[in-house]
């Protein structure tokens, strides 16, 4: 499994794209998607919601368990991926592409986000 170098990662296994025009895209890592198993339901934050770094903002339900979704940054949600709500298996099949979860206008970015290499070492993958 390869973690894209251009992304940053949280210790809760979310990834964060580079911030463009103040907005970043967020999803869960392939490692997290594999650990969850087949995702069958996604509850995502809604456009206009405020999310806070390290706090829950939704959940993913799989055939194995229910897992809280954490925001790696603080800001306002500008988009939620309706494709994932309609077809949660995208989280498993394309976690870094079509399986993204939501976009945030970033107000604050924690200093402890990991590089791809740091995340690989942290997760053991």
């Amino acid at each position: 499994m390869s973690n894209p170098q251009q992304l940053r990662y949280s210790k809760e296994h979310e990834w964060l794209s580079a911030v463009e025009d103040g907005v970043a895209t967020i999803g869960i890592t392939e490692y997290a998607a594999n650990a969850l198993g087949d995702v069958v339901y996604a509850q995502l934050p809604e456009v206009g919601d405020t999310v806070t770094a390290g706090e829950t903002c939704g959940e993913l339900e799989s055939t194995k368990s229910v897992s809280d979704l954490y925001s790696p940054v603080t800001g306002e949600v500008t988009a939620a991926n309706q494709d994932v709500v309609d077809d949660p298996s995208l989280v498993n099949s394309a976690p870094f592409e079509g399986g993204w979860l939501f976009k945030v206008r970033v107000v604050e970015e924690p200093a402890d986000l990991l590089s791809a290499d740091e995340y690989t070492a942290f997760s053991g993958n």
Side-chain angles (χ1 to χ4, degrees):
M1 159 179 359
S2 177
N3 297 304
Q5 291 292 318
Q6 73 275 18
L7 302 177
R8 283 169 292 149
Y9 302 84
S10 74
K11 290 184 178 178
E12 287 80 26
H13 307 286
E14 281 83 24
W15 58 261
L16 171 76
S17 72
V19 177
E20 294 181 30
D21 297 325
V23 177
T25 302
I26 295 167
I28 67 164
T29 65
E30 186 175 5
Y31 172 82
N34 289 339
L36 271 173
D38 295 332
V39 176
V40 295
Y41 174 77
Q43 179 208 348
L44 305 178
E46 296 181 13
V47 172
D49 285 354
T50 298
V51 294
T52 303
E55 293 189 8
T56 61
C57 61
E59 69 180 30
L60 296 173
E61 190 174 316
S62 72
T63 54
K64 291 182 180 179
S65 67
V66 175
S67 179
D68 286 333
L69 178 61
Y70 296 89
S71 180
V73 294
T74 298
E76 182 181 339
V77 176
T78 62
N81 190 347
Q82 187 61 43
D83 290 343
V84 165
V85 173
D86 295 341
D87 181 7
S89 70
L90 287 170
V91 171
N92 299 103
S93 63
F96 296 114
E97 295 89 26
W100 64 273
L101 301 176
F102 60 98
K103 296 183 181 202
V104 174
R105 181 163 307 284
V106 179
V107 174
E108 183 182 337
E109 204 174 300
D112 64 350
L113 292 174
L114 307 173
S115 70
D117 292 337
E118 291 167 332
Y119 178 74
T120 299
F122 169 76
S123 65
N125 287 301

